[in-house]
Amino acid sequence: MTNTPVLNHLSGTGLELGPARDAMQDGPWRCATDDDGITWLILDLPDSGANTISNAVIEGLRNHLSALEKDTPGAVVIRSSKTAGFAAGADISEIEDLLEHGKVPEALRAGHHVLDRLEALPCPTIAVVHGAALGAGFELALACDYRLAVDGASFGFPEVQLGLHPGLGGTFRLTRLIDPTEAMRLMLTGKSAHTGKAKRLGIADAVVEERHVRGAAGAAVRGELEQAGSGLKARALSLRPARLYSAREMRAKTAEKARQDHYPAPYRLIDLWERHGGDSAAMQTAEIESFAELLKTDTATNLRRVFFLRQTLKQAARGAHDIARLHVVGAGMMGADIAAWTAVRGLSVTLEDIDTAALGAAVSRTVEIAKEAHLSDRQVRDAVDRMMPDPKGYGAAKADLVIEAVPEDGGLKAKIYHGLEERMKTDAILATNTSSLSVVGLAGQVARPERFAGLHFFNPVARMQLVEVVGQPRTDTHVLDRLAAFCGSLDKLPARVSDYPGFLVNRALTPYLLEAMSLIDEGVSPASIDKAAEEFGFPMGPVELADRVGLDICLAVGNSLGAGVEKPLAEISDRLKDLVKQGNTGQKAGKGLYTWSDSKPDKRVSDADPPDDLEDRLILPLLDSCVECLRREVVADERTLDAAMIFATGFAPFRGGPMHYARTRGPAEIHDRLVEMARRHGPRFEPDKGWSDL
Ligand code: NAD
């Protein structure tokens, strides 16, 4: 070890370690021993804002452990130097290579061996976690004797979202540490346990403020920290009959959310625990085998694709947006949520509306959204302070970006732009949240079209990840870059699209929704239609979706889209028009295509024998519209299209996106099927010209 002063890079980050005798850097790890004889192992992945558990991290840890086994210090503390958090999980980019060379089991065993050695160190080991400890990062922390959570820390296993379960010891270490049913719940849902919950569950031994980390580490070393232990329940569940019963319940709950043939991982995890729970050694061996098998499945392969699609959209959202102040006009369903979410994400926003009640409601929405985002009480207050109701619209003069979210009426929007542009800074951007009006048409109503674009958020804003950034021929590219970066700062995924009726997402989704209506007109029950879509892998069928969105909105979108697209859409069903006329607009009215109670549709009636081409009748019009959007360059490429459809509509992620599905199934086969269906059901099924380019 060299005698370097100490981890200078940490100074000013709140992560200073204080004086130490020596420091050593080995790849992603920095190591220093302080005057109390505690060795600090600091994870600091070079050239990255966040830590992932890569092969180099495991290798580096192995080297440090060899030294620590020979010359054991008073204690070892593991923590991260990144302000972003502890560690985000395994480095997924290394997986394909391991798979290709058949080295997954070997790499897993090597990783397990290193964490086993960490666990076996004869001195106390302490993980200090700030921010998120996810996946393999959480598993690293679990291999330590103690976990100290800095306020705001969270722990989770998001592996199910990648078609996997934990693979670096998480299955047996977490079920051993805390109540096994709680452990299984965390692993099966992929949800994180935030600080308070982590402490309650016994994942974190103590919650500390950053400035007290050293003191708390000292207390752990002296054995002054009480550890919760998994208690009676764990002992009961170490008996097989109790586990059998519990596993059966878990399977039933899982089946409500995901089918085994679509998402095998949660079922494999339940099997694993049912067979081996309570026996760490057996569970470890089984975890490695099961993880290696899951990694090879189509589901996991496609979900990794989705992971990288997300990264691609995130990368497009990097860069400076130079938007310090936002002004939103229209505090309705969308405007209020856009303003609230922006304030929650740390930006100042003024919100204008002619209706003061809407502004009042927007303040309450900010509190609600901030709480849902797990902000502390003080942070909730700060977010509310940043969200300023502005009935007179003074904020427009100071804003760098103005988002218009008034009702869908071209005349009204044009009038508002005129008033706004007189007040706005000349270099500020004006964006519309319209979902069905032409952005090119609206650009004709503004004085500075080069600074005008669409910024199409989806409902509910806080939860929907995608935002369509809609350019029109006169929009400055730099403006689009800034809007994409602005979306990134809101933790949203921007997809750049060009102006077309419905842009990309609604263009592709509308034929699917309208086809569902046609099927109802033909006598197919709504429940059978939804079941077919859910079996394909949508989180919710089209009929339920239409009822939830509102049949009035669906009708308006269908009407406005029908007028502008190349190919005729399905006739808008009389039943849909009648329901809207009667005020039966769906969930919000208590009645629509379904009858609703307690926010749930009544799906009891379904057909014994639905049409055998039901799934294709729903999915193929959607795929065909995607091909049309590619051909017309509404979206630049298949990857962006797949990402947009997954993140905006929930299109079966395990299928990797609509174009990936089309490619896997075979474009020629789909083309021929469309020709056949056009013969049977009408010209709306005629395949788009673009199929031949695929
Ligand atoms: P909304 O009717 O809920 O809200 C519109 C708000 O604008 C109301 O509060 C109203 O008082 C206010 N308003 C009307 N005239 C105004 C004026 N002159 N100055 C200031 N405020 C005024 O509408 P919404 O559902 O939030 O939709 C707004 C926009 O977002 C529309 O263009 C819509 O197409 C688009 N959009 C809606 C959804 C959705 O699901 N609702 C989704 C995506 C996009």
Side-chain angles (χ1 to χ4, degrees), residues 329-335 352-355 358 404-408 412-413 416 432-436 456-459 553:
V329 187
M333 192 188 265
M334 297 302 291
E352 174 184 346
D353 200 298
I354 44 174
D355 176 2
E404 166 275 305
V406 300
E408 200 71 326
L412 173 66
K413 288 189 195 265
I416 285 177
T432 174
N433 188 46
T434 184
S435 42
S436 61
H456 185 220
F457 286 84
F458 291 84
N459 184 18
I553 294 181

